[in-house]
C-alpha cells in the first residue's frame, strides 16, 4: 500500500435548514480511488468546485469520509486515535499565505508547529534552521512576515510545515495568489523538498504549467477522477482537457494546432524544448 | 473620456522612516475607448497608478487631467470622478455585504443619489450585462461560486455607469474556466459599451490575448508602453524585472535561433501556429 491510499472515497456535504431537516446534499467526492507511493510527486488538477480541496482535507483528517476509506501511511483516517498521527504524517500548505502565518517573526512562525507537538527546545531550533534553509529563507529569519512578498510568505508557510517533519505535504493551490516570480519560487521549493528530502508531494493546482514535472496526474471533475496518467498521457488528450475547461500549456496548444494543420508532430508535447525539436525534425524530414 | 497624467509622483509616508516613492514622474495619456493592460510585479506601482486615476489617492506632485479638467482643481467634483472612473478592486467579492445580490448592485447607484426606480433599472441592466443568472438575483451573495461573486462585484461598479473601468486583477484566485469567462466578459463590455478598460494583470498570456495597449510598470516608472507585439520582444528586460513574455514568444525566438524564419512578434497560440506553418511552407518553396 502507498503512503496515501483512497478506496471508493465519498464525501457528502449536507445542508440543513433551521429545523434541522436536510435541505440539500452535495456530493463533493464520488467514489475516488487514489494510490500515491512514498516519495512521489503527484498533481491533482481540476477547476473550482471539482472536489480537489475536499480530497486534500481528507488526507489531513480535517474532513472524515462519508463512505469508503482512506489510509495515510497505513493508518485509517476514520479512527479517532489516528487523527493526530495522520496530521503529523501529512502536512498541508494552503492557498493564502496570510491565513497561515501567525507569529510576528519568521523563525518563530516556523517554530510554532514543532513547539505545539512538544518537540524539545533545542530540537525546535535545529528544525527551524533546517526548514528555513530548505526553502531558501534563512536570510529572512529575523524579519517580520508582513514585509515579505507573497512567494516568500508562502515559502515561510512551507518551512512551518516542514518543521513538523511530515512524510507527505499536500499543497492546496499554493500559487493561486502569487505573481509569476512567486509561483516559480514555490514550485521550485516543492520540487526540492521532494528530490532532496524525499517528501511525498501532492500538488493541487489549476495551473497546468506547474504539473508537467509531476510523475503522475489525476484530473478531477464533479468529485470524480475523470483522467489519470503521466503528464504526457494527460496532455496528449488536448480536446478532452479543453472540453473539461482546463488550461493546457501553450506549447501543447501550439503543437496541437500544428498537428491538426497536418504537420507530423507527436502527441503529448509538454515543454517548449520538445516542441522546438519536433518542429525542427519536421523541417529536416522535408528537406531530406 | 480621456485621462492625462503629467509628471505624476506619489510617495507613501513622506517624511517618515517608511518613506516609499511608489510612482516616479509618470506621464501617460489614455484616450477614450482603449483596452489597456497594466503589468508589473508586486510593488511596481500598478495599484497606486489605478488609485490615482479615480482620485482615491492624491499625487504628491504633478497633475492629472480628466477630459481636460485638472482633478486637483479646488472646484473639481471628486465624487463625480469616482463615479465616472469605476474601480474594481482585487478580490472585490470579499466586499459583497448586502442581503441579496440585487441589493448589492444597487448600493453604488443609490449612493449616487438616483431615485429608486433608476437605481433598480441600472442594477438589472448591470446584472444582465455581466451574464448573471436571473434566478440568483434575489439570493444572498454568500453561497455563490468565486466566478459568480466576481460578476456581482463587477456589476456593482458597472451600475454606476462609469466611462472608464479599472479592474485590479479581476481573475485572481479563479480557475481557468472562470478566468476565461471574466476576461471574455470584460472584452465584451469594452466592445458593446464602448468604455475604456484598464486591466491590471499578472498573466502575460491573458494580456497578450485581449489588450490593444500594454503598459509595463517597474519601480514606479513606466518601463514600456505599446502594443503587446511591440512590448513582448523585450522579453529579456521583462525577465530582469521579474516578469515574462507569453510562452509562445520564447518558442518563436528559439525557432528563430535555429534559422527558421518566423515572426518573433507572435503573442498568441493561433498567431504562432499560423506563422510556423507559413515559415515552413516558405522554406519548402525556396528549395
Amino acid at each position: 500500500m502507498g503512503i496515501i491510499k483512497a478506496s471508493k472515497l465519498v464525501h457528502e456535504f449536507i445542508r440543513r435548514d433551521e429545523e434541522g431537516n436536510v435541505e440539500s446534499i452535495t456530493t463533493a467526492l464520488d467514489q475516488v480511488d487514489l494510490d500515491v507511493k512514498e516519495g512521489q510527486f503527484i498533481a491533482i488538477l481540476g477547476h473550482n468546485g471539482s472536489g480537489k480541496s475536499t480530497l486534500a482535507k481528507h488526507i489531513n483528517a480535517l474532513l472524515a469520509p462519508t463512505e469508503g476509506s482512506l489510509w495515510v501511511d497505513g493508518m485509517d483516517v476514520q479512527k479517532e486515535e489516528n487523527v493526530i498521527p495522520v496530521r503529523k504524517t501529512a502536512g498541508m500548505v494552503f492557498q493564502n499565505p496570510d491565513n497561515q502565518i501567525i507569529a510576528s517573526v519568521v523563525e518563530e512562525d516556523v517554530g510554532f508547529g514543532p513547539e505545539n507537538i512538544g518537540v524539545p527546545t533545542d530540537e525546535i531550533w535545529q528544525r527551524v534552521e533546517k526548514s528555513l534553509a530548505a526553502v531558501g529563507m534563512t536570510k529572512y529569519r529575523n524579519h517580520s512576515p508582513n514585509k515579505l512578498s507573497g512567494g516568500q510568505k508562502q515559502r515561510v508557510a512551507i518551512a512551518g510545515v516542514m518543521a513538523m517533519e511530515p512524510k507527505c505535504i499536500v499543497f492546496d493551490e499554493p500559487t493561486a495568489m502569487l505573481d509569476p516570480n512567486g509561483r516559480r519560487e514555490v514550485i521550485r521549493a516543492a520540487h526540492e523538498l521532494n528530490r532532496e528530502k524525499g517528501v511525498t508531494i501532492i500538488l493541487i493546482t489549476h495551473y497546468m504549467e506547474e504539473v508537467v514535472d509531476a510523475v503522475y496526474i489525476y484530473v478531477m471533475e464533479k468529485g470524480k477522477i475523470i483522467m489519470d496518467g503521466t503528464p504526457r498521457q494527460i496532455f496528449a488528450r488536448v480536446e478532452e482537457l479543453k472540453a473539461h475547461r482546463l488550461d493546457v500549456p501553450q506549447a501543447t496548444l501550439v503543437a496541437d494546432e500544428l498537428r491538426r494543420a497536418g504537420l507530423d508532430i507527436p502527441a503529448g508535447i509538454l515543454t517548449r524544448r520538445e516542441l522546438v525539436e519536433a518542429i525542427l525534425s519536421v523541417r529536416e524530414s522535408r528537406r531530406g | 473620456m480621456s485621462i492625462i497624467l503629467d509628471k505624476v509622483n506619489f510617495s507613501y509616508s513622506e517624511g517618515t522612516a517608511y518613506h516609499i516613492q511608489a510612482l516616479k514622474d509618470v506621464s501617460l495619456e489614455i484616450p477614450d475607448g482603449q483596452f489597456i493592460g497594466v503589468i508589473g510585479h508586486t510593488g511596481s506601482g500598478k495599484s497606486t497608478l489605478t488609485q490615482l486615476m479615480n482620485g482615491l489617492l492624491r499625487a504628491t506632485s504633478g497633475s492629472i487631467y480628466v477630459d481636460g479638467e485638472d482633478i486637483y482643481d479646488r472646484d473639481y467634483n471628486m465624487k463625480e470622478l469616482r463615479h465616472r472612473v469605476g474601480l474594481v478592486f482585487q478580490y472585490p467579492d470579499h466586499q459583497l455585504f448586502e442581503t441579496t445580490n440585487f441589493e448589492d448592485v444597487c448600493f453604488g447607484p443609490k449612493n449616487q443619489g438616483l431615485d429608486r426606480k433608476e437605481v433598480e433599472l441600472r442594477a438589472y441592466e448591470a446584472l444582465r450585462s455581466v451574464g448573471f443568472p436571473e434566478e440568483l438575483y434575489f439570493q444572498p451573495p454568500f453561497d455563490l461560486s468565486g466566478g459568480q461573486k466576481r460578476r456581482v462585484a463587477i456589476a456593482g461598479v458597472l451600475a454606476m455607469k462609469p466611462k472608464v473601468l479599472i479592474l485590479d486583477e479581476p481573475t485572481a484566485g479563479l480557475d481557468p474556466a472562470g478566468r476565461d469567462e471574466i476576461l471574455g466578459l470584460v472584452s465584451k463590455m469594452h466592445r458593446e459599451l464602448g468604455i475604456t478598460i484598464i486591466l491590471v494583470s499578472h498573466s502575460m498570456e491573458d494580456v497578450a490575448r485581449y489588450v490593444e495597449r500594454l503598459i509595463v510598470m517597474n519601480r514606479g516608472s513606466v518601463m514600456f508602453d505599446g502594443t503587446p507585439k511591440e512590448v513582448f520582444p523585450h522579453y529579456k528586460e521583462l525577465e530582469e524585472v521579474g516578469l515574462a513574455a507569453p510562452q509562445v514568444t520564447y518558442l518563436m525566438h528559439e525557432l528563430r535561433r535555429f534559422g527558421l524564419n518566423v515572426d518573433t512578434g507572435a503573442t498568441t497560440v493561433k498567431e504562432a501556429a499560423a506563422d510556423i506553418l507559413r515559415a515552413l511552407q516558405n522554406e519548402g518553396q525556396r528549395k
Side-chain angles (χ1 to χ4, degrees):
Chain A
M1 183 166 21
I3 183 161
I4 311 275
K5 180 158 172 65
S7 165
K8 303 215 179 338
L9 188 64
V10 175
H11 190 87
E12 288 172 342
F13 286 107
I14 299 170
R15 191 167 354 155
R16 292 173 194 277
D17 63 12
E18 281 153 12
E19 279 93 45
N21 302 316
V22 175
E23 241 183 3
S24 63
I25 298 179
T26 315
T27 309
L29 291 180
D30 194 356
Q31 309 277 344
V32 170
D33 290 317
L34 192 77
D35 194 1
V36 183
K37 304 259 173 312
E38 191 157 2
Q40 276 188 331
F41 190 117
I42 71 133
I44 300 176
L45 287 168
H47 45 74
N48 296 351
S50 60
K52 325 184 285 287
S53 295
T54 307
L55 179 59
K57 285 177 185 151
H58 279 81
I59 296 172
N60 196 248
L62 286 173
L63 289 176
T66 311
E67 280 170 41
S69 354
L70 177 71
W71 294 272
V72 173
D73 205 13
M75 295 176 282
D76 184 348
V77 297
Q78 305 239 52
K79 292 205 177 112
E80 191 65 40
E81 71 266 24
N82 283 342
V83 168
I84 299 295
V86 162
R87 289 194 188 142
K88 282 186 194 165
T89 309
M92 190 144 167
V93 176
F94 295 93
Q95 186 181 91
N96 189 346
D98 289 326
N99 293 349
Q100 41 194 328
I101 289 180
I102 33 110
S104 53
V105 180
V106 166
E107 57 179 13
E108 284 178 13
D109 191 80
V110 177
F112 178 79
E115 192 182 0
N116 255 352
I117 53 172
V119 175
T121 313
D122 287 347
E123 202 194 325
I124 294 179
W125 287 115
Q126 282 168 18
R127 288 192 185 189
V128 168
E129 194 97 22
K130 268 201 311 203
S131 310
L132 283 172
V135 296
M137 288 296 290
T138 310
K139 210 165 67 183
Y140 297 92
R141 60 182 307 161
N142 294 319
H143 282 231
S144 156
N146 284 326
K147 306 266 173 198
L148 301 177
S149 74
Q152 289 171 331
K153 277 188 212 168
Q154 196 62 294
R155 283 192 282 159
V156 171
I158 296 171
V161 175
M162 276 286 297
M164 313 269 287
E165 300 190 339
K167 283 190 186 169
C168 164
I169 302 182
V170 181
F171 288 81
D172 190 3
E173 297 190 28
T175 60
M177 304 180 84
L178 306 180
D179 63 14
N181 254 354
R183 248 182 251 166
R184 267 196 299 273
E185 286 170 16
V186 168
I187 296 301
R188 199 183 302 140
H191 276 286
E192 273 171 16
L193 289 182
N194 176 249
R195 227 178 9 247
E196 281 159 29
K197 317 267 175 208
V199 182
T200 310
I201 305 279
I202 297 174
L203 173 66
I204 296 175
T205 182
H206 45 239
Y207 290 109
M208 298 282 172
E209 262 100 1
E210 293 175 356
V211 305
V212 294
D213 294 322
V215 295
Y216 207 76
I217 298 179
Y218 294 91
V219 182
M220 292 192 67
E221 190 171 279
K222 292 190 181 144
K224 288 192 169 74
I225 291 185
I226 51 162
M227 294 165 87
D228 64 313
T230 63
R232 205 169 298 283
Q233 290 165 345
I234 296 287
F235 289 122
R237 297 152 76 177
V238 174
E239 282 310 311
E240 233 173 304
L241 287 169
K242 276 196 192 158
H244 292 298
R245 307 210 299 173
L246 287 166
D247 220 6
V248 182
Q250 280 201 321
T252 310
L253 287 177
V254 175
D256 195 54
E257 291 265 334
L258 293 176
R259 190 169 44 245
R260 266 188 289 154
L263 287 200
D264 182 22
I265 306 261
I269 293 249
L270 297 178
T271 63
R272 218 161 59 222
R273 181 174 302 162
E274 287 171 5
L275 179 55
V276 168
E277 277 166 17
I279 292 172
L280 292 176
S281 85
V282 166
R283 181 194 192 198
E284 271 319 299
S285 67
R286 288 195 173 184
R287 279 182 178 166
Chain B
M1 194 169 76
S2 70
I3 302 178
I4 295 170
L5 280 76
D6 186 23
K7 294 205 178 60
V8 169
N9 285 285
F10 184 81
S11 307
Y12 286 101
S13 325
E14 193 157 63
T16 72
Y18 298 103
H19 173 244
I20 292 169
Q21 180 148 22
L23 284 184
K24 269 178 249 164
D25 270 333
V26 172
S27 296
L28 281 174
E29 195 183 336
I30 294 170
D32 208 11
Q34 267 190 344
F35 192 156
I36 300 174
V38 178
I39 58 175
H41 62 86
T42 317
S44 60
K46 322 184 283 282
S47 294
T48 308
L49 182 69
T50 56
Q51 290 177 35
L52 281 166
M53 285 185 195
N54 93 335
L56 275 182
L57 293 175
R58 194 188 170 91
T60 322
S61 71
S63 326
I64 298 178
Y65 301 94
V66 173
D67 272 345
E69 283 179 89
D70 184 347
I71 68 165
Y72 297 135
D73 205 62
R74 205 182 310 158
D75 302 330
Y76 192 81
N77 188 343
M78 211 45 132
K79 198 173 166 204
E80 179 68 22
L81 174 70
R82 290 186 192 128
H83 296 155
R84 286 193 291 166
V85 182
L87 180 57
V88 179
F89 290 98
Q90 211 175 350
Y91 298 102
D93 33 314
H94 291 179
Q95 300 165 37
L96 302 177
F97 60 92
E98 286 279 8
T99 47
T100 68
N101 296 311
F102 186 79
E103 269 314 304
D104 213 285
V105 177
C106 287
F107 182 79
K110 207 159 61 190
N111 264 357
Q112 279 176 297
L114 299 169
D115 64 61
R116 186 67 202 173
K117 215 165 153 193
E118 175 72 14
V119 167
E120 290 188 358
L121 204 66
R122 285 194 178 193
Y124 274 118
E125 218 177 331
L127 281 167
R128 199 170 330 120
S129 65
V130 298
F132 189 72
E134 229 162 286
E135 63 271 21
L136 297 176
Y137 280 16
F138 297 100
Q139 296 293 317
F142 309 105
D143 291 340
L144 300 176
S145 72
Q148 296 291 32
K149 278 190 193 169
R150 196 102 5 133
R151 278 168 201 256
V152 174
I154 293 173
V157 176
L158 269 187
M160 296 193 283
K161 297 221 164 160
K163 294 278 190 304
V164 178
L165 184 62
I166 304 177
L167 301 124
D168 194 352
E169 298 215 34
T171 61
L174 297 183
D175 62 18
R179 192 186 65 203
D180 287 350
E181 275 171 26
I182 293 292
L183 289 177
L185 167 70
V186 169
S187 167
K188 187 183 122 210
M189 290 187 313
H190 173 245
R191 266 193 325 270
E192 289 175 5
L193 307 177
I195 51 181
T196 309
I197 306 268
I198 300 176
L199 174 73
V200 178
S201 177
H202 273 328
S203 164
M204 309 305 140
E205 282 80 11
D206 286 349
V207 290
R209 212 162 112 202
Y210 291 101
V211 309
E212 52 187 301
R213 174 180 173 194
L214 192 54
I215 297 171
V216 183
M217 298 295 296
N218 181 40
R219 294 188 185 180
S221 304
V222 176
M223 187 181 181
F224 295 110
D225 181 358
T227 62
K229 274 195 189 342
E230 288 163 0
V231 172
F232 286 131
H234 298 281
Y235 65 99
K236 288 211 174 100
E237 287 110 305
L238 290 174
E239 273 173 11
E240 278 164 27
V241 300
L243 297 168
Q247 291 291 320
V248 293
T249 306
Y250 294 95
L251 172 69
M252 298 309 252
H253 276 273
E254 268 169 53
L255 289 172
R256 194 57 174 280
R257 222 173 303 135
F258 286 104
L260 191 63
N261 193 15
V262 290
D263 172 16
T264 50
T267 51
T268 64
V269 168
K270 287 234 171 330
E271 280 173 17
D275 197 65
I276 293 168
L277 288 171
R278 184 198 52 76
L280 287 170
Q281 212 97 53
N282 278 355
E283 279 196 346
Q285 278 163 8
R286 244 186 291 135
K287 190 178 63 181

